Amino acid sequence: MNTFDNLRKRINETDDVIRKIEQNYSVLKLPDFVSNLEISSLNMRKIDLERDLERESKAQQSEQLEVKLYPKNLPSGAVPVRTLVEVLGGLQDLTDSVANTLLNQPSNRGPIPQEILEGNSWVLTNVKAGSFIAELNLDHDLLLSLEDTEIPQKTIIGELFSLFNASDEEESLLEVISGLGGRTLKYYMEWSKKLRELDTPIDLNWVSSESISNQIIKFDPEKAERIFKVLNEKLASYEEEFTLTGRLTGVNVRTSTFEFEFFDKGSERKDTIYGRIQKNTIVPAVDFLDKKCRVDLLKITTKSSAGREKIAWNLKDVNKPEYN
């Protein structure tokens, strides 16, 4: 049983106890002030439980992140403004980029749509001592999701923490960042460079009540330096656009993914492409399921220093073929 359900259960149990006391004292015909003393104590308990329930309800409507900074030569609870702005600003940029990849498209071209920026903005809700702790909230925005059961902000932070968990290993970073696009690679490289230059260790703690468990990621200047070198010197990402004619054999609305079959030019070999589909393309794409069509695709290739490639495809648009 989660915290929210447990609190509701305790409130209901308190109501049951109050009703039983009222009934018992009524049967015994005792003075009202006797029952009021006991009931008033239970009502105070109920008020405290309802206050906790309200806080828990609000917590379940957002993702919470604690950013703990360890600035040198400063007392607990103090942090340079420049350091705070650089750390939180870089984190917001990364969140914006991952949100754009998952909810729109992964290209580093063009601005990120305003609705995505507004729907995925971290809000500083509290600061605490203990080095310096900034508490951030990211409200759930179901208007950006594809289904009411899907919380996009949880998915976004999950992808972000998968990137952070890749640490400074080149192959691990290649696996994760290849699907997040060139903009995310650029922003992560810039942020790791700032963390190195600021010389301030930080902890990121995803403390949301709905997350599987608290996830803490630690960055120190040395780790940030290693991540920056991998992203700047060993990984490369580039984009290409293609228009292909073939058959759309699969569209998954929940995961925003597609499957497309086509024949290679000059050969009889059939190829299949799997990838992510842009949100505004999903509805029209469903009408072309298992039909011949023409698709506009973005191909993102990420290479490691060893020559290993990871390719991510993004379906931008789907139309009737120019010829049958």
Side-chain angles (χ1 to χ4, degrees):
M1 181 180 297
N2 60 35
T3 305
F4 186 83
D5 290 338
N6 184 52
L7 286 168
R8 284 199 302 188
K9 180 184 177 183
R10 291 169 63 188
I11 290 171
N12 292 335
E13 289 172 346
T14 304
D15 283 334
D16 290 339
V17 173
I18 292 173
R19 280 194 296 270
K20 288 177 181 177
I21 291 174
E22 290 174 337
Q23 291 169 0
N24 291 339
Y25 276 78
S26 176
V27 171
L28 295 172
K29 296 183 179 180
L30 294 174
D32 290 343
F33 77 88
V34 178
S35 63
N36 287 343
L37 284 173
E38 190 169 358
I39 290 173
S40 63
S41 175
L42 289 168
N43 278 329
M44 291 299 295
R45 175 189 173 194
K46 181 181 175 182
I47 289 172
D48 287 340
L49 289 171
E50 288 175 337
R51 191 178 294 119
D52 290 342
L53 183 69
E54 183 179 359
R55 280 197 294 265
E56 185 64 22
S57 177
K58 289 180 179 178
Q60 290 192 358
Q61 295 170 21
S62 65
E63 299 302 315
Q64 293 88 46
L65 191 68
E66 282 187 354
V67 183
K68 189 172 185 178
L69 298 93
Y70 300 86
K72 299 179 178 178
N73 305 318
L74 286 176
S76 175
V79 67
V81 172
R82 188 185 308 279
T83 298
L84 185 62
V85 169
E86 295 281 21
V87 171
L88 298 188
L91 183 62
Q92 182 65 70
D93 287 342
L94 274 169
T95 304
D96 292 340
S97 182
V98 173
N100 189 50
T101 294
L102 298 181
L103 302 174
N104 182 36
Q105 53 88 15
S107 176
N108 56 16
R109 305 170 190 171
I112 297 174
Q114 192 63 29
E115 67 167 350
I116 290 178
L117 296 178
E118 293 175 355
N120 294 281
S121 294
W122 289 103
V123 176
L124 180 63
T125 58
N126 191 25
V127 295
K128 298 188 295 186
S131 291
F132 182 91
I133 300 175
E135 294 184 345
L136 308 178
N137 261 34
L138 183 62
D139 288 340
H140 294 165
D141 187 352
L142 296 180
L143 293 177
L144 290 175
S145 65
L146 298 176
E147 294 182 347
D148 291 340
T149 57
E150 186 180 320
I151 301 174
Q153 283 70 35
K154 183 180 297 298
T155 305
I156 290 163
I157 301 176
E159 291 287 346
L160 199 56
F161 268 69
S162 293
L163 178 60
F164 296 153
N165 274 315
S167 190
D168 54 0
E169 296 292 329
E170 181 180 353
E171 292 302 317
S172 298
L173 281 169
L174 174 66
E175 285 290 333
V176 178
I177 212 164
S178 60
L180 297 178
R183 195 194 307 257
T184 302
L185 189 154
K186 174 176 174 287
Y187 284 170
Y188 195 25
M189 181 174 65
E190 291 174 350
W191 194 54
S192 60
K193 181 181 179 183
K194 289 175 184 176
L195 294 181
R196 178 196 65 180
E197 293 170 347
L198 291 170
D199 198 26
T200 300
I202 69 168
D203 295 345
L204 301 178
N205 185 10
W206 185 8
V207 295
S208 304
S209 60
E210 289 190 12
S211 62
I212 298 173
S213 61
N214 287 8
Q215 299 188 51
I216 301 177
I217 303 292
K218 295 179 177 292
F219 289 93
D220 56 42
E222 293 76 20
K223 179 180 177 180
E225 167 80 9
R226 293 193 298 270
I227 292 172
F228 172 73
K229 283 188 174 181
V230 171
L231 297 175
N232 185 50
E233 300 174 6
K234 297 185 178 182
L235 295 185
S237 179
Y238 60 92
E239 300 177 359
E240 300 172 275
E241 293 186 346
F242 293 88
T243 298
L244 298 174
T245 298
R247 189 175 298 276
L248 192 62
T249 51
V251 174
N252 189 317
V253 176
R254 186 180 62 82
T255 59
S256 303
T257 53
F258 75 94
E259 178 183 290
F260 181 75
E261 290 184 350
F262 67 101
F263 285 98
D264 273 347
K265 287 184 178 180
S267 76
E268 296 298 320
R269 186 169 62 88
K270 183 184 292 185
D271 274 349
T272 303
I273 290 175
Y274 305 91
R276 185 174 295 277
I277 185 171
Q278 292 186 15
K279 182 181 177 182
N280 58 1
T281 306
I282 291 176
V283 174
V286 170
D287 292 335
F288 284 97
L289 263 177
D290 206 29
K291 297 177 182 176
K292 192 173 183 180
C293 57
R294 187 179 80 255
V295 297
D296 294 330
L297 297 159
L298 177 69
K299 179 184 179 183
I300 301 173
T301 304
T302 308
K303 285 186 176 182
S304 71
S305 59
R308 183 166 173 243
E309 287 188 350
K310 287 287 291 184
I311 295 173
W313 291 93
N314 183 263
L315 179 57
K316 299 168 58 180
D317 198 9
V318 56
N319 293 284
K320 292 181 179 179
E322 293 180 349
Y323 55 88
N324 292 321

